Amino acid sequence: MNTNTLRQLFTFQSIFDGLEDAVICHDLELIITNWNPAAERMFGYTSYDALDENILFLVPEDKYNEQSVIINSLLEGKRTAGISTIRLSKDSNAIPVSITFSAISDEEGIVIGVSQIIRNIADEQRAQREQAILAAIIEGSEDAIVSKNLDGIITTWNKGAESIFGYSAEEAIGQHISLLIPQERLDEEAHIIENIKQGRKVDHYHTIRLRQDGTPLDISLTISPIRNKEGIVIGASKVARDITDRRKAESALEQHAKKLAILNSIGKSISERLDVNLILQKVTDATTDLTGAAFGAFFYNKVNSEGESYMLYTLSGVPREAFSKFPMPRNTAVFHATFSGEGVVRVDDITKDPRYGQNDPYFGMPKGHLPVVSYLAVPVISSSGSVNGGLFFGHPEPGRFLAEHEDLVVNVASQAAIALDNSKLFEEVSELSQKKDEFIALASHELKTPLTSMNGFLQIAQRITPEGAGRNFIEKSIRQLDKLNTLVSDLFDISKIKAGKLEFHVEELDLSALIVEICDALAQTITPHQIDLGMNPGLVVMGDRIRLEQVITNLINNAAKYAPNAPEIKVIAEKNKDGEVVVAVKDYGPGINKENQSRIFGQFYRIQNHQRPVSGLGLGLYITREIIERHGGRIWVESEEGKGATFSFSLPSSLA
Ligand code: ADP
């Protein structure tokens, strides 16, 4: 049968023109008779190039055999399955293809040719390869990767899921996902499915799931919707990471941080507080917390005349009543090691210890007392070597105190010992300081009486002595006596402040008038200094006239004393915007540096570097501040070294 006949036979070639697959027909000599546009697109040859040519130009040499095998089997009337093979394009590219062969027969049923439907499977192969890679990744992942449908039924289960959850793929697939969810978290699933149905991903969700053996696992879940080709959500993929170890590490870190914070706060309170009972309470609370003890206590190592320790302690973890049946922490076998400073006693079960139960009258714990099984006791030893006391901890279960707890308490105990040592020193210092205050009070009081009489006698002597050298001496004596009087008065005031006995006689007073009076009186004594007064009249305050006079005089005297080479002193008194009366005394002397500005209001503080020695005790500003603050006011200094100083105080206005 010639090729022309074949051509006519296949006039319906145009049908194939729209196909995506290449359709090529050839006769039994392999001469191409039909070549559709898809074949042209796939191989790059036009039908003009291809028609009447032998189809072998598309076939790599090593595959020639394929053609004859298939054509032979077609001739024998056998059906052939498609093959996957390679064909060559015009530019010699190897194209992966799948080919379906069909026999073409004439009216008598005699095979006269073959049609080949050729599909480019490059994309398909790539997709398959990618899928294979993905599958390998999923299988190789240590994370559990699981998918489920929207009813929650597990549809895939990788090796990671097997090792994390313990179920094999056979056991898990087909089961409901709630298999893994603890009872109390079952409603999480509904929430997750709800998100998935709406196409939302659930990311890094930290939760608990169960292994096959029932042990809980801390896991981090990421759940994404799975969609079909149409984009409709049909299930969910779930990646679960076992974060139990991470959680453990985190919680160990948290614990560690907590311990550090507690230790730090103990250290801080020890260095800040001198109230030893507070410190001991804090130490007992913190160590009870750190050791996980049911209770903790501090016992002093004080012994009465019979040699018994007596109960003086701080207690933590239980109310005091719980210790009502506790015997005095006497010199018993169990307590001895601690109170003698021998060392730490840490016992998993004290009731089984040979030292336990040896002493009259209880032979162990008295009935009704807290049960103590785990026992830890650490002596608190002073730097002098004497034992101040001990920290004791108990727990009703055995083996609760570990070496790390012992280390912690030993550490804290040494800090507590320092606190106790300091508090002893503090007590001694306060005792001394109290004695000093008592002495100053007594001495200044005793000095006042003769000073007052001397002043009286000198005034009389001044009046009756005619002008001349004698009277001059008397006047000098009066001025020196004034200075002495001020010093003694300051000392007397200090002792009154200390004893809380500085009294005030408050009245409504015209501060402007008082300032004018003071300035007039001082004008004589502070020469060559001159006061430049700038003041609003009629400034009324509630105050003690004598004490406020003392304040203003002290500030003006200081301005003259410490600025000997700057004769101008400014005194300003006015109301500020808050209605307070503010008085400022300004000089143009050496000024005061920042560091000293905060110190000069303290007791006995004097700046040493004045050019010439100036008499004083460093009490004036301390007393001044006390007086102002007791009036409800404030006092402050503004100064720059070399540029003078301004001392100001404010008083609440009585009319405000
Ligand atoms: P005293 O004058 O007895 O030393 P004060 O308490 O009045 O005590 O003053 C404390 C210190 O403050 C003084 O020793 C002085 O060094 C400093 N000081 C006070 N006023 C001035 C001032 N106007 N200029 C510079 N220094 C001053």
Side-chain angles (χ1 to χ4, degrees), residues 487 490 554-555 558-559 561-563 587 590-592 600 602 605-608 610 615-622 645 647:
L487 292 176
D490 279 357
N554 186 31
L555 294 180
N558 273 356
K561 228 162 57 165
Y562 295 107
D587 67 61
I592 303 160
I600 49 174
Y605 189 82
R606 309 199 69 218
I607 303 170
Q608 299 301 338
H610 295 293
S615 72
L617 288 174
L619 291 176
L621 288 175
Y622 177 78
F647 284 84

Side-chain angles (χ1 to χ4, degrees), residues 301 339-341 380-389 413-414 416-422 424-425 428:
N301 188 21
F339 286 123
S340 65
V380 175
I381 303 174
S382 144
S383 57
S384 66
S386 65
V387 180
N388 285 329
S414 64
I418 297 170
L420 285 169
D421 283 353
N422 285 347
K424 271 194 200 145
L425 276 179
E428 284 161 18

Side-chain angles (χ1 to χ4, degrees), residues 303-325:
V303 177
N304 65 13
S305 51
E306 280 91 52
E308 297 266 312
S309 311
Y310 65 86
M311 194 154 70
L312 181 65
Y313 59 84
T314 56
L315 188 57
S316 193
V318 283
R320 272 188 176 247
E321 301 78 72
F323 261 58
S324 59
K325 297 247 170 42

